[in-house]
Amino acid sequence: METAKGWTPEGGTPQGAVVSPLRSNIYLDLLDHLMAEKGIEMVRYADDFVVLCRTEVAAQEALERVRDWTTTVGLTLHPVKTRIVDVTQDGFDFLGYHFAGGARWPRQKSLDKFKDTIRAKTRRHNGQSLQAILTDLNWTLRGWFEYFKHSRRFVFITLDKWVRMRLRSLLRFRRKRKGRGRGSDHQRWPNAFFARQGLFSLAEAHTLACQSSRR
């Protein structure tokens, strides 16, 4: 700081900076207490938060309180992301999930990012052995599941099928065949084949997680 003569600080924190969540928690701690004092339920992670209300009128009042507070402390609500939603009719994205109708599942952006990662690991020209590919793939599948395991089961069943299709296409290519893995490929490399090879199953992991939560 002794050599920083003439330095002019810039407003805000760069998107994705490691200090951003810390600064958000410092700034928004007062908002947490304000909402709690008013009996308004709010769920917050860094600078992303959701306010839960039973009626539209209550939601409007809560929004005004938040807007007044942010204006007072020199902050600005995101003009697009800030909105009132009836979760029985519409939905909203929060921390990678999409919430609607009492259910939750990965938001589209999260699914797209997941599939892009899997595509990169299961390219048909991948010269690694199947076992090496599965080992690398399982790291991604396990990590992704740990975060999104609270989604509805249908998500995991669908993604398991998609992952196996990618692997069948890879194996099909190695036999000098074109196109996606389909038809007789399901008999040549059935689901049990990939299970024996150690492929992590999202659906099975979800079943085990649900059983553990009931104990």
Side-chain angles (χ1 to χ4, degrees):
M1 294 303 295
E2 293 178 357
T3 61
K5 295 179 180 179
W7 172 68
T8 302
E10 298 179 0
T13 302
Q15 182 71 26
V18 289
V19 74
S20 182
L22 175 60
R23 292 189 65 180
S24 296
N25 286 333
I26 294 173
Y27 267 86
L28 299 178
D29 180 64
L30 293 176
L31 178 61
D32 293 339
H33 291 290
L34 172 65
M35 301 301 272
E37 290 171 2
K38 301 299 181 181
I40 302 173
E41 187 170 356
M42 183 177 75
V43 180
R44 183 177 67 81
Y45 184 86
D47 62 346
D48 289 328
F49 58 88
V50 174
V51 178
L52 307 174
C53 302
R54 295 185 179 275
T55 67
E56 184 176 357
V57 173
Q60 289 285 2
E61 293 177 350
L63 177 57
E64 288 305 312
R65 287 186 182 277
V66 173
R67 184 171 283 128
D68 290 343
W69 183 86
T70 53
T71 299
T72 301
V73 298
L75 300 175
T76 304
L77 294 175
H78 195 289
V80 176
K81 294 181 179 179
T82 304
R83 58 197 179 99
I84 294 177
V85 175
D86 181 350
V87 292
T88 63
Q89 302 294 327
D90 303 303
F92 65 93
D93 294 337
F94 184 56
L95 301 182
Y97 277 89
H98 182 77
F99 295 82
R104 55 188 178 270
W105 57 89
R107 64 173 180 167
Q108 191 58 50
K109 187 176 181 180
S110 298
L111 285 174
D112 291 342
K113 184 177 180 180
F114 169 77
K115 286 190 172 183
D116 285 344
T117 302
I118 299 301
R119 287 190 185 98
K121 293 176 181 287
T122 57
R123 290 193 178 98
R124 295 175 188 176
H125 294 278
N126 190 325
Q128 294 180 303
S129 67
L130 178 61
Q131 195 58 53
I133 292 173
L134 293 181
T135 298
D136 186 31
L137 203 57
N138 284 346
W139 282 105
T140 297
L141 294 172
R142 286 194 178 95
W144 192 86
F145 174 78
E146 281 303 314
Y147 188 80
F148 289 104
K149 62 185 176 183
H150 304 291
S151 303
R152 54 187 181 181
R153 179 174 174 76
F154 179 75
V155 171
F156 306 116
I157 295 174
T158 302
L159 289 177
D160 272 348
K161 291 180 180 178
W162 183 80
V163 171
R164 288 192 296 265
M165 181 275 292
R166 294 285 306 176
L167 291 170
R168 288 189 181 104
S169 296
L170 184 151
L171 294 173
R172 180 184 177 88
F173 181 81
R174 292 183 176 182
R175 294 199 173 194
K176 310 299 181 183
R177 298 184 180 185
K178 298 180 180 180
R180 289 186 173 187
R182 58 181 182 272
S184 60
D185 293 329
H186 289 269
Q187 284 73 51
R188 187 176 293 110
W189 300 294
N191 296 353
F193 167 79
F194 295 108
R196 289 194 299 271
Q197 298 301 314
L199 176 64
F200 181 82
S201 169
L202 297 168
E204 289 184 8
H206 181 256
T207 298
L208 291 174
C210 290
Q211 291 175 349
S212 298
S213 65
R214 297 192 190 103
R215 292 173 183 172

mmCIF file of all heavy atoms in Angstrom, residues 9-41:
data_model
loop_
_atom_site.group_PDB
_atom_site.id
_atom_site.type_symbol
_atom_site.label_atom_id
_atom_site.label_comp_id
_atom_site.label_asym_id
_atom_site.label_seq_id
_atom_site.Cartn_x
_atom_site.Cartn_y
_atom_site.Cartn_z
ATOM 1 N N PRO A 9 -9.358 3.144 -6.394
ATOM 2 C CA PRO A 9 -10.101 1.872 -6.316
ATOM 3 C C PRO A 9 -11.299 1.882 -7.258
ATOM 4 O O PRO A 9 -11.911 2.918 -7.504
ATOM 5 C CB PRO A 9 -10.546 1.818 -4.847
ATOM 6 C CG PRO A 9 -10.600 3.253 -4.431
ATOM 7 C CD PRO A 9 -9.479 3.933 -5.162
ATOM 8 N N GLU A 10 -11.612 0.715 -7.803
ATOM 9 C CA GLU A 10 -12.763 0.567 -8.673
ATOM 10 C C GLU A 10 -13.925 -0.022 -7.880
ATOM 11 O O GLU A 10 -13.730 -0.789 -6.948
ATOM 12 C CB GLU A 10 -12.432 -0.345 -9.849
ATOM 13 C CG GLU A 10 -11.320 0.201 -10.737
ATOM 14 C CD GLU A 10 -10.998 -0.739 -11.875
ATOM 15 O OE1 GLU A 10 -11.645 -1.795 -11.951
ATOM 16 O OE2 GLU A 10 -10.096 -0.423 -12.674
ATOM 17 N N GLY A 11 -15.126 0.322 -8.288
ATOM 18 C CA GLY A 11 -16.302 -0.182 -7.574
ATOM 19 C C GLY A 11 -16.607 -1.614 -7.957
ATOM 20 O O GLY A 11 -16.362 -2.034 -9.076
ATOM 21 N N GLY A 12 -17.138 -2.359 -6.983
ATOM 22 C CA GLY A 12 -17.577 -3.720 -7.279
ATOM 23 C C GLY A 12 -16.468 -4.742 -7.182
ATOM 24 O O GLY A 12 -15.304 -4.437 -6.949
ATOM 25 N N THR A 13 -16.846 -6.002 -7.359
ATOM 26 C CA THR A 13 -15.922 -7.126 -7.328
ATOM 27 C C THR A 13 -16.009 -7.865 -8.645
ATOM 28 O O THR A 13 -17.107 -8.132 -9.126
ATOM 29 C CB THR A 13 -16.274 -8.087 -6.175
ATOM 30 O OG1 THR A 13 -16.243 -7.362 -4.944
ATOM 31 C CG2 THR A 13 -15.297 -9.243 -6.102
ATOM 32 N N PRO A 14 -14.906 -8.254 -9.256
ATOM 33 C CA PRO A 14 -14.950 -8.988 -10.525
ATOM 34 C C PRO A 14 -15.778 -10.267 -10.406
ATOM 35 O O PRO A 14 -15.722 -10.963 -9.380
ATOM 36 C CB PRO A 14 -13.475 -9.316 -10.795
ATOM 37 C CG PRO A 14 -12.723 -8.266 -10.051
ATOM 38 C CD PRO A 14 -13.527 -7.996 -8.815
ATOM 39 N N GLN A 15 -16.557 -10.576 -11.441
ATOM 40 C CA GLN A 15 -17.384 -11.781 -11.442
ATOM 41 C C GLN A 15 -16.505 -13.014 -11.307
ATOM 42 O O GLN A 15 -15.546 -13.182 -12.052
ATOM 43 C CB GLN A 15 -18.179 -11.852 -12.752
ATOM 44 C CG GLN A 15 -19.118 -13.045 -12.843
ATOM 45 C CD GLN A 15 -20.311 -12.918 -11.906
ATOM 46 O OE1 GLN A 15 -20.696 -11.816 -11.555
ATOM 47 N NE2 GLN A 15 -20.877 -14.029 -11.513
ATOM 48 N N GLY A 16 -16.822 -13.873 -10.339
ATOM 49 C CA GLY A 16 -16.070 -15.102 -10.158
ATOM 50 C C GLY A 16 -14.822 -14.968 -9.307
ATOM 51 O O GLY A 16 -14.118 -15.953 -9.085
ATOM 52 N N ALA A 17 -14.515 -13.772 -8.840
ATOM 53 C CA ALA A 17 -13.323 -13.588 -8.007
ATOM 54 C C ALA A 17 -13.480 -14.330 -6.681
ATOM 55 O O ALA A 17 -14.586 -14.421 -6.143
ATOM 56 C CB ALA A 17 -13.089 -12.097 -7.759
ATOM 57 N N VAL A 18 -12.372 -14.847 -6.149
ATOM 58 C CA VAL A 18 -12.444 -15.640 -4.920
ATOM 59 C C VAL A 18 -12.915 -14.806 -3.735
ATOM 60 O O VAL A 18 -13.462 -15.338 -2.760
ATOM 61 C CB VAL A 18 -11.085 -16.288 -4.600
ATOM 62 C CG1 VAL A 18 -10.773 -17.387 -5.581
ATOM 63 C CG2 VAL A 18 -9.972 -15.233 -4.620
ATOM 64 N N VAL A 19 -12.697 -13.500 -3.775
ATOM 65 C CA VAL A 19 -13.086 -12.647 -2.656
ATOM 66 C C VAL A 19 -14.567 -12.262 -2.740
ATOM 67 O O VAL A 19 -15.143 -11.768 -1.765
ATOM 68 C CB VAL A 19 -12.209 -11.377 -2.616
ATOM 69 C CG1 VAL A 19 -12.608 -10.399 -3.719
ATOM 70 C CG2 VAL A 19 -12.276 -10.703 -1.258
ATOM 71 N N SER A 20 -15.205 -12.507 -3.878
ATOM 72 C CA SER A 20 -16.590 -12.080 -4.083
ATOM 73 C C SER A 20 -17.570 -12.655 -3.055
ATOM 74 O O SER A 20 -18.363 -11.907 -2.477
ATOM 75 C CB SER A 20 -17.046 -12.438 -5.503
ATOM 76 O OG SER A 20 -18.369 -11.996 -5.727
ATOM 77 N N PRO A 21 -17.564 -13.978 -2.797
ATOM 78 C CA PRO A 21 -18.497 -14.513 -1.781
ATOM 79 C C PRO A 21 -18.271 -13.919 -0.399
ATOM 80 O O PRO A 21 -19.232 -13.673 0.337
ATOM 81 C CB PRO A 21 -18.207 -16.021 -1.795
ATOM 82 C CG PRO A 21 -17.600 -16.280 -3.134
ATOM 83 C CD PRO A 21 -16.799 -15.051 -3.445
ATOM 84 N N LEU A 22 -16.995 -13.688 -0.038
ATOM 85 C CA LEU A 22 -16.686 -13.121 1.279
ATOM 86 C C LEU A 22 -17.253 -11.709 1.400
ATOM 87 O O LEU A 22 -17.898 -11.368 2.391
ATOM 88 C CB LEU A 22 -15.174 -13.101 1.491
ATOM 89 C CG LEU A 22 -14.691 -12.419 2.783
ATOM 90 C CD1 LEU A 22 -15.261 -13.127 3.998
ATOM 91 C CD2 LEU A 22 -13.168 -12.391 2.825
ATOM 92 N N ARG A 23 -17.039 -10.905 0.381
ATOM 93 C CA ARG A 23 -17.558 -9.532 0.415
ATOM 94 C C ARG A 23 -19.080 -9.543 0.431
ATOM 95 O O ARG A 23 -19.711 -8.713 1.092
ATOM 96 C CB ARG A 23 -17.034 -8.747 -0.785
ATOM 97 C CG ARG A 23 -15.539 -8.487 -0.742
ATOM 98 C CD ARG A 23 -15.097 -7.520 -1.838
ATOM 99 N NE ARG A 23 -15.671 -6.197 -1.632
ATOM 100 C CZ ARG A 23 -15.434 -5.172 -2.444
ATOM 101 N NH1 ARG A 23 -14.655 -5.337 -3.498
ATOM 102 N NH2 ARG A 23 -15.976 -3.992 -2.210
ATOM 103 N N SER A 24 -19.676 -10.481 -0.300
ATOM 104 C CA SER A 24 -21.134 -10.569 -0.316
ATOM 105 C C SER A 24 -21.671 -10.883 1.071
ATOM 106 O O SER A 24 -22.665 -10.300 1.517
ATOM 107 C CB SER A 24 -21.584 -11.648 -1.312
ATOM 108 O OG SER A 24 -21.216 -11.309 -2.631
ATOM 109 N N ASN A 25 -21.015 -11.815 1.763
ATOM 110 C CA ASN A 25 -21.471 -12.187 3.102
ATOM 111 C C ASN A 25 -21.323 -11.035 4.089
ATOM 112 O O ASN A 25 -22.148 -10.859 4.991
ATOM 113 C CB ASN A 25 -20.701 -13.411 3.595
ATOM 114 C CG ASN A 25 -21.143 -14.689 2.912
ATOM 115 O OD1 ASN A 25 -22.291 -14.793 2.475
ATOM 116 N ND2 ASN A 25 -20.257 -15.654 2.795
ATOM 117 N N ILE A 26 -20.268 -10.250 3.927
ATOM 118 C CA ILE A 26 -20.077 -9.096 4.804
ATOM 119 C C ILE A 26 -21.156 -8.051 4.560
ATOM 120 O O ILE A 26 -21.790 -7.536 5.489
ATOM 121 C CB ILE A 26 -18.675 -8.489 4.591
ATOM 122 C CG1 ILE A 26 -17.598 -9.476 5.057
ATOM 123 C CG2 ILE A 26 -18.555 -7.159 5.325
ATOM 124 C CD1 ILE A 26 -16.186 -9.040 4.734
ATOM 125 N N TYR A 27 -21.385 -7.742 3.295
ATOM 126 C CA TYR A 27 -22.363 -6.712 2.951
ATOM 127 C C TYR A 27 -23.784 -7.137 3.296
ATOM 128 O O TYR A 27 -24.591 -6.332 3.788
ATOM 129 C CB TYR A 27 -22.289 -6.405 1.450
ATOM 130 C CG TYR A 27 -21.372 -5.245 1.111
ATOM 131 C CD1 TYR A 27 -20.006 -5.448 0.933
ATOM 132 C CD2 TYR A 27 -21.885 -3.962 0.977
ATOM 133 C CE1 TYR A 27 -19.165 -4.394 0.624
ATOM 134 C CE2 TYR A 27 -21.051 -2.893 0.656
ATOM 135 C CZ TYR A 27 -19.692 -3.117 0.490
ATOM 136 O OH TYR A 27 -18.874 -2.071 0.190
ATOM 137 N N LEU A 28 -24.110 -8.401 3.032
ATOM 138 C CA LEU A 28 -25.504 -8.829 3.146
ATOM 139 C C LEU A 28 -25.867 -9.422 4.501
ATOM 140 O O LEU A 28 -27.011 -9.833 4.708
ATOM 141 C CB LEU A 28 -25.828 -9.837 2.040
ATOM 142 C CG LEU A 28 -25.672 -9.292 0.609
ATOM 143 C CD1 LEU A 28 -25.975 -10.383 -0.416
ATOM 144 C CD2 LEU A 28 -26.592 -8.093 0.381
ATOM 145 N N ASP A 29 -24.922 -9.467 5.416
ATOM 146 C CA ASP A 29 -25.233 -9.970 6.755
ATOM 147 C C ASP A 29 -26.326 -9.125 7.408
ATOM 148 O O ASP A 29 -27.229 -9.646 8.068
ATOM 149 C CB ASP A 29 -23.963 -9.964 7.617
ATOM 150 C CG ASP A 29 -24.235 -10.488 9.017
ATOM 151 O OD1 ASP A 29 -24.584 -11.678 9.138
ATOM 152 O OD2 ASP A 29 -24.125 -9.709 9.979
ATOM 153 N N LEU A 30 -26.270 -7.821 7.216
ATOM 154 C CA LEU A 30 -27.286 -6.930 7.786
ATOM 155 C C LEU A 30 -28.667 -7.213 7.186
ATOM 156 O O LEU A 30 -29.680 -7.118 7.875
ATOM 157 C CB LEU A 30 -26.895 -5.476 7.548
ATOM 158 C CG LEU A 30 -25.655 -4.977 8.295
ATOM 159 C CD1 LEU A 30 -25.329 -3.549 7.883
ATOM 160 C CD2 LEU A 30 -25.886 -5.050 9.805
ATOM 161 N N LEU A 31 -28.688 -7.553 5.902
ATOM 162 C CA LEU A 31 -29.965 -7.880 5.260
ATOM 163 C C LEU A 31 -30.551 -9.153 5.856
ATOM 164 O O LEU A 31 -31.766 -9.248 6.060
ATOM 165 C CB LEU A 31 -29.770 -8.037 3.753
ATOM 166 C CG LEU A 31 -31.028 -8.419 2.956
ATOM 167 C CD1 LEU A 31 -32.101 -7.345 3.092
ATOM 168 C CD2 LEU A 31 -30.678 -8.633 1.476
ATOM 169 N N ASP A 32 -29.699 -10.123 6.151
ATOM 170 C CA ASP A 32 -30.158 -11.362 6.797
ATOM 171 C C ASP A 32 -30.896 -11.044 8.098
ATOM 172 O O ASP A 32 -31.988 -11.560 8.360
ATOM 173 C CB ASP A 32 -28.968 -12.284 7.110
ATOM 174 C CG ASP A 32 -28.297 -12.810 5.858
ATOM 175 O OD1 ASP A 32 -28.930 -12.807 4.790
ATOM 176 O OD2 ASP A 32 -27.133 -13.235 5.952
ATOM 177 N N HIS A 33 -30.284 -10.195 8.906
ATOM 178 C CA HIS A 33 -30.874 -9.851 10.205
ATOM 179 C C HIS A 33 -32.158 -9.033 10.029
ATOM 180 O O HIS A 33 -33.130 -9.228 10.761
ATOM 181 C CB HIS A 33 -29.860 -9.081 11.054
ATOM 182 C CG HIS A 33 -28.705 -9.914 11.512
ATOM 183 N ND1 HIS A 33 -28.837 -10.912 12.454
ATOM 184 C CD2 HIS A 33 -27.391 -9.915 11.144
ATOM 185 C CE1 HIS A 33 -27.666 -11.485 12.658
ATOM 186 N NE2 HIS A 33 -26.772 -10.897 11.873
ATOM 187 N N LEU A 34 -32.158 -8.139 9.050
ATOM 188 C CA LEU A 34 -33.339 -7.318 8.808
ATOM 189 C C LEU A 34 -34.535 -8.188 8.423
ATOM 190 O O LEU A 34 -35.635 -8.019 8.976
ATOM 191 C CB LEU A 34 -33.066 -6.306 7.686
ATOM 192 C CG LEU A 34 -34.280 -5.498 7.204
ATOM 193 C CD1 LEU A 34 -34.794 -4.600 8.325
ATOM 194 C CD2 LEU A 34 -33.920 -4.671 5.973
ATOM 195 N N MET A 35 -34.323 -9.135 7.519
ATOM 196 C CA MET A 35 -35.415 -9.999 7.069
ATOM 197 C C MET A 35 -35.896 -10.901 8.204
ATOM 198 O O MET A 35 -37.096 -11.158 8.352
ATOM 199 C CB MET A 35 -34.960 -10.835 5.874
ATOM 200 C CG MET A 35 -34.495 -10.000 4.679
ATOM 201 S SD MET A 35 -35.763 -8.889 4.043
ATOM 202 C CE MET A 35 -36.569 -9.969 2.882
ATOM 203 N N ALA A 36 -34.962 -11.373 9.022
ATOM 204 C CA ALA A 36 -35.335 -12.230 10.152
ATOM 205 C C ALA A 36 -36.167 -11.449 11.162
ATOM 206 O O ALA A 36 -37.155 -11.963 11.706
ATOM 207 C CB ALA A 36 -34.083 -12.792 10.821
ATOM 208 N N GLU A 37 -35.787 -10.197 11.410
ATOM 209 C CA GLU A 37 -36.540 -9.359 12.353
ATOM 210 C C GLU A 37 -37.960 -9.098 11.870
ATOM 211 O O GLU A 37 -38.891 -8.984 12.677
ATOM 212 C CB GLU A 37 -35.812 -8.027 12.548
ATOM 213 C CG GLU A 37 -34.496 -8.153 13.312
ATOM 214 C CD GLU A 37 -33.712 -6.850 13.287
ATOM 215 O OE1 GLU A 37 -34.222 -5.866 12.703
ATOM 216 O OE2 GLU A 37 -32.587 -6.820 13.837
ATOM 217 N N LYS A 38 -38.128 -9.008 10.552
ATOM 218 C CA LYS A 38 -39.453 -8.757 9.976
ATOM 219 C C LYS A 38 -40.251 -10.040 9.776
ATOM 220 O O LYS A 38 -41.387 -10.012 9.288
ATOM 221 C CB LYS A 38 -39.313 -8.026 8.638
ATOM 222 C CG LYS A 38 -38.585 -6.680 8.725
ATOM 223 C CD LYS A 38 -39.332 -5.716 9.643
ATOM 224 C CE LYS A 38 -38.614 -4.372 9.701
ATOM 225 N NZ LYS A 38 -39.304 -3.409 10.610
ATOM 226 N N GLY A 39 -39.672 -11.170 10.147
ATOM 227 C CA GLY A 39 -40.373 -12.443 10.002
ATOM 228 C C GLY A 39 -40.476 -12.913 8.567
ATOM 229 O O GLY A 39 -41.374 -13.702 8.221
ATOM 230 N N ILE A 40 -39.559 -12.467 7.724
ATOM 231 C CA ILE A 40 -39.550 -12.849 6.305
ATOM 232 C C ILE A 40 -38.495 -13.928 6.096
ATOM 233 O O ILE A 40 -37.332 -13.749 6.463
ATOM 234 C CB ILE A 40 -39.243 -11.636 5.408
ATOM 235 C CG1 ILE A 40 -40.284 -10.538 5.643
ATOM 236 C CG2 ILE A 40 -39.214 -12.038 3.937
ATOM 237 C CD1 ILE A 40 -39.977 -9.235 4.919
ATOM 238 N N GLU A 41 -38.902 -15.040 5.503
ATOM 239 C CA GLU A 41 -37.979 -16.160 5.305
ATOM 240 C C GLU A 41 -37.150 -15.943 4.040
ATOM 241 O O GLU A 41 -37.697 -15.768 2.950
ATOM 242 C CB GLU A 41 -38.747 -17.474 5.200
ATOM 243 C CG GLU A 41 -37.839 -18.692 5.158
ATOM 244 C CD GLU A 41 -38.601 -19.998 5.304
ATOM 245 O OE1 GLU A 41 -39.830 -19.937 5.508
ATOM 246 O OE2 GLU A 41 -37.962 -21.059 5.204
#
